[in-house]
Amino acid sequence: SSGGSSRRRGRSASARVARRRTWQQIEDERQAREVKLLGVAKPRVPFVALDLAAARSFSDFALECEFEVVRHALLYGRDAPNGGVLVDVIWEPKQRDGELVSSKPLQTAEAKEEAELAASLARKLGLQRVGWAFCHPPRDLAAVFTAAELVR
């Protein structure tokens, strides 16, 4: 009976030794798991205002497809008097039909000609290309990231 208790004491003593860590080790482990959200670099403009109808048209298609598609769009607009950007037009170039996920717009001669025509029309309306928009399928929620990966 006394042999059994010494074995138990021996195991718990070794378990205590195995669990002993320095405060620095505990702090290092905590910091490795910590997620740090960093602010973005200084923005180029104080705000961007989208034309509601144009934005809704772009987003409605993605909603209809339940965001199972990749779509690209070019934003045309103008500078606002107080330093912001006003987006008046969201133009979607021809994209691959029938493919649920396509990360590349078409690069045909017809597509390039259409893009040049859109840019020319925008210039005639006093607009310039001010950005790019896209939508994509949801990411795999089962993916696990370490804190170090999130910070990168």
Side-chain angles (χ1 to χ4, degrees), residues 138-152:
R139 293 186 176 100
D140 181 10
L141 297 179
V144 177
F145 296 97
T146 65
E149 289 171 322
L150 290 174
V151 171
R152 289 185 197 154

Side-chain angles (χ1 to χ4, degrees), residues 65-86:
C65 298
E66 297 180 358
F67 284 93
E68 291 300 322
V69 294
V70 173
R71 299 298 289 181
H72 304 268
L74 299 178
L75 309 178
Y76 287 94
R78 54 204 152 86
D79 294 330
N82 51 357
V85 173
L86 303 174

Side-chain angles (χ1 to χ4, degrees), residues 49 74-80 85-90 122 125-131:
L74 299 178
L75 309 178
Y76 287 94
R78 54 204 152 86
D79 294 330
V85 173
L86 303 174
V87 177
D88 298 298
V89 176
I90 299 177
L125 293 171
L127 305 175
Q128 61 185 338
R129 190 167 128 191
V130 294

